[in-house]
Amino acid sequence: MAVRKPPITTREYWAPGHAACAGCGCAAALRLATKAFSEAMEEKYGDPNAFAIAQATGCMEVVSAVFPYTAWKAPWIHVAFENAAAVASGVEAAWKKVGRKGKILAIGGDGGTADIGMQALSGMLERWHNVVYLMYDNEAYMNTGIQRSSSTPYGAWTTTSPPGKLSIGEDKPKKWVALIAAAHQIPYVATASVANPYDFIKKMKKAAKVDGPAFVQVQCTCVPGWRAPPEKSIEITRLAIETGVWPLFEIENGDFHNIKIQAPGGGAKVKREGGRIVAIEFKKPIEEYLKLQGRFKHLFKQPEAIDIMREQIKAMWKVLGVDVILPKPEE
Amino acid sequence: MPIRKVMKANEAAAWAAKLAKPKVIAAFPITPSTLVPEKISEFVADGELDAEFIKVESEHSAISACVGASAAGVRTFTATASQGLALMHEILFIAAGMRLPIVIAVGNRALSAPINIWNDWQDTISERDTGWLQFYAENNQEALDLILIAFKVAEDERVLLPAMVGFDAFILTHTVEPVEIPDQELVDEFLGEYMPKHAYLDPAKPITQGALGFPAHYMEARYGVWEANENAKKVIDEVFAEFEKKFGRKYQKIEEYRTEDADIIFVTMGSLAGTLKEYVDMLREKGVKVGAAKITVYRPFPTEEVRELAKKTKVLALLEKNVTFSVGGALFQDFSRALVNESEKPKIVDFILGLGGRDVTFKDLDEALAIAQKALTGEEFEEVNWIGLRKEIL
Ligand SMILES: Cc1ncc(C[n+]2csc(CCOP(=O)(O)OP(=O)(O)O)c2C)c(N)n1
Ligand code: SF4
């Protein structure tokens, strides 16, 4: 009987034994990302191990590298919270100089990327280092106990954006770092989701194979941070795609006129013009995504806040060049 | 054959970097050391230095990139000063804790506020607890030599610590002097290629660098930095001796000048040592028994040498271009510690002067001398004295 080839390499770089919570979407993302990277290195350089990782301080760092243990089976360095991109720049320069073939993977959370590490990221992208930057976006500072970041979505509860008599929770729309990265006109930018592993793997491989910098932003759950049951992690992130909250797209060479939008699934109706998606009518209301997470629970008492969220999501899609219809739940 | 060229300390630092052949340099401009990366980029552009020069967007990223490159196993170099060094502060601890022998050239400059681009030592002094080795140059030749020495000490397996070499803003960075540029071959022999055994990012032998240290391990890592600093004392002596043999210039952790039978020894660092030596000559001609001592190596602190120095005199007068609030200068603290348990010790008088580029004149030194003489004769004296303050604008 023929043995089916596994869809992704069985090599592991993010080994079992790390201390992430059960159901952590980010842990799943890192495992897939490194596997994809390895495949890309094998295809590009004939060496599946031809990469090193520079990682920012954050949840995925503290759960994976507690001395004297490590979950990493690839060369890995952590320096500080804000400088994964700068450290990666140095590693890449050193490799170039000593003639080592391969690519550097920089990893940071949304805080280490969208906030404190933004300058280092911009510098790294602008200098055209041969680095893939992976932003794992769990939409808050989880390591320090769930504080808001600029990537926290509107309305979300965090410990520094608590809902209260005068507060709806986080009161600013989410900062879209992928678009900022694309403004550097780098070869490759993409958003991805752990709920769509094939797509994520494909994008990571593409990112790893381009010559020059690339940026991938992957949405992934945090169980305590999203106040969500561990077994629902993938379901929640899938709903983010299917309700329009989390767009999946690619931007190559900073070409904003040619953003490649992906069909969201979940029964959404997609309108294309010349192969390009120009409108999406979502079938599932964003409430389906929100209701599975304790961080949005308070919004259901103030449905007008959810309407504001809908408007923000529409505006974000507009930037991507897509008109969307976001349904309200049926009474 | 070594060549002699007239150059600024900034150029001397760039030449030192060229001779040391770092593979990665990452730098960001700041007065007064801007010329260092400029000159290095010329060397790279002309193919005279085969290195990756990363034009980073900040000093924070400069040192971060150096950490990445050093952790990948190559020799790295950067230059900065003042606010730039302060912006690196967080990563300076990390570079030392990760035991990466990065070398920084620092054009010593005051810190804001008020913003001031001129010389004092507050920038490097403020980094004295990061674990970095610290050398201070008196002149442009020393700036070049000490950078080469810093690489050699930093990369020694008994040490493995980063090092900074300070040279005074404008007084040295922008002033030309004849500097002997050593032979590349001799420098190659002296330094050899950097081949780390402890730190590399090699896919064939993956290791994790920069892990989280729980209370069970953190202290030992800090002790490792302490121990390495202690080890560096001996290594520095060895390297100084080797340097002298190869290049003919002698260095000591504390260099003494006319300290024999001195009643008062002035102690200082950096370019002020040059002024001080002349001052001592002048006083000696008048029959005043004074001497001078220059701290070339500030970290590791040369405690033994300070104790030896103290035995030679009745008063140690410290001339410092830095402040440690409510204490005096940093040297005052260091000297006090070195001598606290000695049964016989000289009086110590501390002088804060020359901050933010204010000239230190013989008149200022006369003022310091008068106070030191009070200490000598047993009169009451102030322990900490600000010299050259403009009282009329206070
Ligand atoms: C300069 C600095 N400021 C603050 C911190 C504390 N800190 C460490 S990780 C972190 C948040 C990390 O958030 P994020 O990047 O979103 O990653 P996550 O923990 O969510 O995985 C913070 C605030 C730090 N280590 N360094
Ligand atoms: S706290 Fe959140 S991000 Fe951290 S391991 Fe747990 S689920 Fe993952």
Side-chain angles (χ1 to χ4, degrees), chain A residues 20-21 24 26 59-60 63 138 142 221-224:
Chain A
C21 308
C24 173
C26 306
C59 210
M60 289 300 98
V63 301
N138 56 21
M142 298 313 176
T221 45
C222 167
V223 172

Side-chain angles (χ1 to χ4, degrees), chain A residues 57-60 81-82 109-112 116 136 138 140-144, chain B residues 90:
Chain A
T57 314
C59 210
M60 289 300 98
F81 183 25
E82 62 287 340
D110 48 292
I116 197 169
Y136 68 89
N138 56 21
Y141 304 150
M142 298 313 176
N143 177 52
T144 35
Chain B
E90 179 199 23

Side-chain angles (χ1 to χ4, degrees), chain A residues 49-52 61-62 65-68 70 72-80 82-83 86-87 89-91 93-98 100 119-120 123 127 129, chain B residues 23-24 50-52 54-58 60-61 64-69 71-72 74 90-91 94 98 200-203 206-214 217:
Chain A
N49 300 329
F51 65 104
E61 170 260 327
V62 300
V66 179
F67 185 83
T70 181
W72 293 101
K73 292 186 169 182
W76 182 92
I77 181 169
H78 156 255
V79 179
E82 62 287 340
N83 65 357
V87 174
S89 303
V91 176
W95 277 29
K96 202 169 177 186
K97 203 69 244 157
V98 298
R100 195 190 283 288
Q119 175 184 310
R127 291 190 303 271
H129 289 279
Chain B
K23 290 206 165 70
V24 173
D50 181 21
E52 281 296 316
I54 314 179
K55 297 155 196 121
V56 280
E57 83 296 339
S58 73
H60 194 285
S61 285
S64 299
C66 285
V67 167
V74 305
E90 179 199 23
I91 311 302
I94 295 172
M98 289 173 79
Y200 41 74
L201 291 163
D202 179 358
I207 60 166
T208 291
Q209 294 184 67
L212 175 69
F214 266 43
H217 298 104

